[in-house]
Amino acid sequence: MTVTIFLGALLGPMALGVPIAFALIISGVALMMYLGLFDAQIVAQNVLNGADSFPLMAVPFFMLAGEVMNTGGLSRRIVNLAMVMVGHIRGGLGFVAIFAACVLASLSGSAVADAAALGALLLPMMLKSGHDPARAGGLLASASIIGPIIPPSIGFILFGVAGGVSITKLFLAGIFPGLMIAAALCVTWLIVSRKEQFALPPRQGRAERLKALVDSVWALLLPLIIVVGLKFGVFTPTEAGVVAAGYSLFVSMVVYRELPPSKLFDVFVSASKITAIVMFLVACAAVSAWLITVADVPGDLVRMLEPLMDNQTLLLLAIMVLVVVIGTAMDMTPTILIMTPVLMPIVKQAGIDPVYFGVLFIINNSIGLITPPVGTVLNVICGVSKLKMEDLMKGVMPFLIAELIVLLLLVLFPELVMTPASWFSR
């Protein structure tokens, strides 16, 4: 009964157009009233405590880093480097998009920020070269979701805070699965683009390649600094956010000089708006998370899933299917905040490694960003490309299938996540 009341009080207001943050408060209050525990002070206290977390301080800094990179020239230089390296081969612009997505993922940790950068910089080039608009947009959308998988990842930060899992271990465990998704996209792009007729950019000489590499070296140093710093314990994930923001500001303003002081205010305001949305969701989700624990909703789900508890693979497959379905109707951040406190007790009771589950869970939620009708990344690409959603969905479908296949392989073969994670953590 508690599960029914929680879902009804959450999904009902959302269906009426109530913002998700307020729907989370409503669902928490509904559970409190059902349990006879209603107290406005408890609601307010949980809202305040929900955002009062040191690891969550990384979110605004990574948001700021993403805004600075798009405004200050770092993103453009990464795309240009990929262009001169592989842009001349057949289908090269697609490989440029995937390579650039991997590098941008290691800079910002946000799929939406990467989608905006890739869409603005690469989509006009791909259309001018003669690529099918829907297919090009589908590739850019699918490549953008690598952002929350390769560290640093805002999704991993939220999951680590909500589930009590080491964020550093999550960061290091996400590297290889993110590269697997990139490889799957490369293979898929090679297959779907082979019948297209398009113009190829001219092959760049050694001098142009060296110039592009030198020009982008400051941008390429940031992911190296973050990964090495986390691996050797130089700084925490929260401090890594400060390093990323400070470094990107320095490079944009002092080295590249593409971010004048007059634009700083707009950059900070834009990052603050996005941060406010995320943090308010986190704060409101704390109310539901507390009530979920008090009402023993995970216990009810454990009893429902009891036939699968002895088989980790079947249990994970069932959870992944559930999250895929939820991802079609809910954005990534609220899904993480709502489902993590529900699923983590089940995962722990089944003996599944929380870090391994976290990687699968974030990949699944990232895929939800390109599934309609809510797919945030799809909406970003639609806005940049002026494509209709139904056309973009046709273009994204082959890449979506490839990413789901990678997710299935990771479920069936846990060593694909945990073995490389052990390499990076040594």
Side-chain angles (χ1 to χ4, degrees):
M1 187 63 181
T2 53
V3 176
T4 304
I5 291 173
F6 172 72
L7 292 177
L10 176 66
L11 300 178
M14 286 175 56
L16 296 174
V18 176
I20 294 176
F22 296 111
L24 287 167
I25 294 284
I26 293 171
S27 65
V29 170
L31 270 181
M32 290 178 79
M33 295 180 69
Y34 172 71
L35 297 172
L37 299 174
F38 179 73
D39 187 334
Q41 292 184 9
I42 294 178
V43 176
Q45 183 180 9
N46 277 283
V47 169
L48 291 173
N49 291 340
D52 185 15
S53 170
F54 179 72
L56 285 177
M57 288 179 64
V59 174
F61 289 109
F62 281 124
M63 292 288 188
L64 176 60
E67 289 291 325
V68 171
M69 285 184 299
N70 287 343
T71 308
L74 280 77
S75 300
R76 179 173 57 79
R77 283 171 170 80
I78 294 298
V79 172
N80 182 58
L81 175 65
M83 277 290 301
V84 300
M85 292 298 180
V86 298
H88 61 278
I89 65 177
R90 180 166 181 81
L93 284 175
F95 299 126
V96 167
I98 298 166
F99 173 83
C102 289
V103 179
L104 290 176
S106 64
L107 299 176
S108 71
S110 168
V112 173
D114 292 355
L118 291 174
L121 295 170
L122 275 176
L123 191 58
M125 295 184 194
M126 298 184 77
L127 299 184
K128 186 177 179 180
S129 296
H131 286 286
D132 177 72
R135 188 172 291 124
L139 174 66
L140 293 179
S142 304
S144 298
I145 71 165
I146 298 174
I149 303 168
I150 291 179
S153 163
I154 294 171
F156 281 142
I157 293 171
L158 296 176
F159 175 81
V161 172
V165 183
S166 168
I167 297 173
T168 300
K169 290 182 179 179
L170 288 168
F171 276 7
L172 297 176
I175 297 174
F176 188 71
L179 296 177
M180 280 186 64
I181 290 177
L185 291 178
C186 286
V187 173
T188 307
W189 173 251
L190 196 62
I191 295 171
V192 301
S193 66
R194 60 185 177 182
K195 294 183 180 180
E196 286 189 342
Q197 299 296 323
F198 45 81
L200 294 176
R203 182 187 180 94
Q204 300 296 321
R206 183 177 299 177
E208 287 79 6
R209 294 186 182 189
L210 183 60
K211 181 181 177 181
L213 180 60
V214 171
D215 196 34
S216 62
V217 70
W218 285 94
L220 293 172
L221 276 176
L222 180 55
L224 182 63
I225 291 171
I226 291 175
V227 172
V228 172
L230 289 172
K231 174 178 172 58
F232 292 101
V234 178
F235 42 69
T236 66
T238 303
E239 292 163 347
V242 179
V243 171
Y247 182 89
S248 57
L249 278 168
F250 172 78
V251 172
S252 298
M253 297 184 70
V254 178
V255 180
Y256 293 152
R257 298 182 181 180
E258 291 192 19
L259 181 60
S262 59
K263 288 186 178 180
L264 269 181
F265 180 77
D266 293 335
V267 169
F268 276 92
V269 168
S270 178
S272 299
K273 287 180 178 178
I274 302 172
T275 300
I277 294 171
V278 174
M279 296 303 288
F280 187 54
L281 275 170
V282 172
C284 294
V287 179
S288 294
W290 183 76
L291 265 301
I292 285 170
T293 304
V294 171
D296 195 29
V297 173
D300 292 341
L301 283 177
V302 166
R303 286 185 282 276
M304 291 170 57
L305 296 172
E306 196 167 357
L308 303 177
M309 293 298 287
D310 293 332
N311 191 316
Q312 293 184 357
T313 302
L314 287 179
L315 178 63
L316 281 172
L317 285 173
I319 292 175
M320 292 301 109
V321 171
L322 173 65
V323 176
V324 166
V325 173
I326 293 173
T328 63
M330 196 177 295
D331 201 11
M332 180 174 184
T333 299
T335 303
I336 294 172
L337 297 173
I338 294 169
M339 297 302 296
T340 300
V342 175
L343 294 175
M344 280 305 293
I346 301 171
V347 168
K348 290 178 179 178
Q349 186 167 331
I352 299 171
D353 189 309
V355 173
Y356 169 59
F357 173 74
V359 172
L360 298 182
F361 186 59
I362 295 302
I363 291 175
N364 204 332
N365 277 281
S366 301
I367 292 173
L369 295 172
I370 56 171
T371 55
V374 177
T376 311
V377 168
L378 288 182
N379 287 304
V380 171
I381 297 296
C382 280
V384 173
S385 65
K386 310 302 180 186
L387 286 170
K388 294 180 180 178
M389 179 63 78
E390 54 267 29
D391 293 333
L392 183 58
M393 269 310 303
K394 293 178 183 177
V396 86
M397 194 56 65
F399 308 107
L400 175 62
I401 293 171
E403 289 170 340
L404 288 172
I405 291 174
V406 171
L407 179 62
L408 177 62
L409 289 174
L410 295 176
V411 171
L412 297 177
F413 304 102
E415 57 271 15
L416 292 175
V417 176
M418 300 313 297
T419 302
S422 67
W423 299 341
F424 291 115
S425 60
R426 286 174 185 170

